[in-house]
Amino acid sequence: MISPVEQFAIALKQSNNSLTSARREVFGAMLTEEPLGMNELVGKLDGKVNRASIYRVVALFEQLGIIIRLQIGWKYKLELSDSFSYHHHHATCLQCGQVVALPENEMLEQKIQFLALTNGFVIQDHQLEIRGLCTKCHKAKDLLQNKPWS
Amino acid sequence: MISPVEQFAIALKQSNNSLTSARREVFGAMLTEEPLGMNELVGKLDGKVNRASIYRVVALFEQLGIIIRLQIGWKYKLELSDSFSYHHHHATCLQCGQVVALPENEMLEQKIQFLALTNGFVIQDHQLEIRGLCTKCHKAKDLLQNKPWS
DNA sequence: CTACATGCAAAGAGTTTGCAGCCCA
DNA sequence: TGGGCTGCAAACTCTTTGCATGTAG
């Protein structure tokens, strides 16, 4: 079993990129549960890595397929790529803002492939953004609408 | 049968918003085949509607569900909402940049609903972004790789 | 030691806001 | 006529770039 950090180091070496401290810091900061916004990332590395360098490192990581850019509403967030986890999609709760990772679904992936292929498109990459209400917020809303206390 | 422009006028009236010339212009500019980038929209309305007003009108239209914001790569594009056409997804060609509207696929929609529901999520909205190669560019690439002339 | 990477500061997009004047209902 | 809408200009956020310095290999 190879650790994420080793995998990261190998990816850099294989692409002829140095393993610098800024890159290590950014990668370390990305080893989190939730996808990170650029501003959060900058904040997390405040005093350690310069803002411009973070942008440059993120661009490199994206190019190397180490991280991916998720669209969450109007903004984007960053997350380690599928190579460091597994292929999945996300659902964002419009109420509480929580981003939930949805488990891989083979049937769904097949349908997406099929839809693209029947239209002559060869898929290289895809992203599904789901917006709605999470379990908690949905229940809360039900309570409000049913007014069980009235 | 009700025309798009009438439908638009009704949507404004019902939400207590005036039918101003700026809003008419923006709506008119949106009546196109392809999704429009904000800069394209601004360019198209250059001299007619001020940049800031376009942003305000777009924000209003989005809120009223008249237009939607598509994620295309790192940027976004605008397009009239499903109420003015039909529910569909898009595929962007990484080579030539063309954005193709893919026809609705009931099975796919069901899978998406299912995936969300089994994870306790009630979908309000969703967007699928497909990136790949269109028929033309894919063929061109095949030619290059097979080097039929060599 | 050398090429590549970073920090810093300034420039550049893209977007938002305050305010005075204009226009739709 | 009056309240909402627009144009204008300035402010703000996010991102990129040029250049001198630092550092990994």
Side-chain angles (χ1 to χ4, degrees):
Chain A
M1 192 56 186
I2 180 172
S3 82
V5 180
E6 288 172 305
Q7 190 181 340
F8 158 68
I10 291 169
L12 281 183
K13 179 164 285 184
Q14 285 188 343
S15 56
N16 279 323
N17 286 106
S18 316
L19 180 56
T20 67
S21 80
R23 290 171 187 171
R24 243 191 306 256
E25 288 289 353
V26 172
F27 185 79
M30 292 299 305
L31 285 171
T32 63
E33 293 288 312
E34 296 231 343
L36 240 53
M38 188 56 102
N39 40 3
E40 297 172 282
L41 189 56
V42 170
K44 223 171 158 178
L45 297 174
D46 187 43
K48 293 194 210 163
V49 188
N50 179 270
R51 174 184 296 269
S53 301
I54 296 178
Y55 276 93
R56 283 187 278 230
V57 170
V58 164
L60 175 69
F61 282 8
E62 207 180 354
Q63 201 187 311
L64 295 182
I66 293 174
I67 67 177
I68 58 165
R69 204 176 272 250
L70 295 177
Q71 289 306 152
I72 306 279
W74 301 12
K75 305 292 179 100
Y76 66 85
K77 287 182 184 277
L78 306 164
E79 149 181 289
L80 291 180
S81 79
D82 294 349
S83 329
F84 292 88
S85 51
Y86 59 93
H87 180 67
H88 62 275
H89 294 291
H90 297 84
T92 310
C93 180
L94 294 168
Q95 196 79 50
C96 66
Q98 193 195 11
V99 178
V100 178
L102 303 177
E104 174 148 25
N105 183 311
E106 193 48 48
M107 297 284 282
L108 174 60
E109 300 302 319
Q110 283 179 14
K111 296 296 171 200
I112 292 173
Q113 286 286 345
F114 179 75
L115 175 63
L117 277 176
T118 52
N119 289 277
F121 236 86
V122 178
I123 293 190
Q124 201 140 347
D125 192 10
H126 69 277
Q127 223 181 93
L128 176 62
E129 185 193 357
I130 291 176
R131 276 156 294 181
L133 296 177
C134 70
T135 313
K136 225 168 81 183
C137 293
H138 186 244
K139 277 184 186 154
K141 200 182 164 199
D142 269 359
L143 283 177
L144 278 172
Q145 287 183 341
N146 296 333
K147 295 195 176 81
W149 58 82
S150 63
Chain B
M1 193 56 187
I2 179 173
S3 82
V5 180
E6 287 172 306
Q7 190 182 340
F8 158 67
I10 292 169
L12 281 183
K13 180 164 285 184
Q14 286 187 343
S15 56
N16 279 323
N17 285 106
S18 315
L19 179 56
T20 67
S21 82
R23 289 172 187 171
R24 243 191 306 256
E25 288 289 353
V26 172
F27 185 80
M30 292 298 306
L31 284 171
T32 64
E33 293 287 312
E34 296 231 344
L36 241 52
M38 188 56 102
N39 40 2
E40 298 172 283
L41 189 56
V42 170
K44 223 170 158 179
L45 297 174
D46 187 42
K48 294 193 210 162
V49 187
N50 179 270
R51 174 184 297 271
S53 301
I54 296 178
Y55 276 92
R56 283 187 278 230
V57 170
V58 165
L60 175 68
F61 283 8
E62 208 180 352
Q63 201 187 311
L64 296 182
I66 292 173
I67 66 178
I68 58 165
R69 203 177 274 249
L70 295 177
Q71 289 307 154
I72 306 279
W74 302 10
K75 305 293 180 96
Y76 65 86
K77 288 182 183 276
L78 305 165
E79 153 182 286
L80 290 181
S81 79
D82 294 349
S83 329
F84 292 88
S85 53
Y86 59 94
H87 179 67
H88 61 276
H89 295 291
H90 297 84
T92 310
C93 180
L94 294 169
Q95 196 79 49
C96 67
Q98 195 196 9
V99 178
V100 178
L102 303 177
E104 174 149 26
N105 182 311
E106 192 49 48
M107 296 285 280
L108 174 61
E109 301 302 319
Q110 282 179 13
K111 295 298 170 199
I112 292 173
Q113 287 286 345
F114 180 74
L115 175 63
L117 277 176
T118 52
N119 289 276
F121 236 86
V122 178
I123 293 190
Q124 200 140 346
D125 193 8
H126 70 277
Q127 223 181 92
L128 176 62
E129 184 193 358
I130 291 177
R131 275 157 295 180
L133 296 177
C134 70
T135 314
K136 226 169 80 183
C137 293
H138 186 245
K139 277 184 186 155
K141 199 183 164 198
D142 269 358
L143 283 177
L144 277 173
Q145 288 184 340
N146 296 334
K147 295 194 176 79
W149 59 82
S150 62

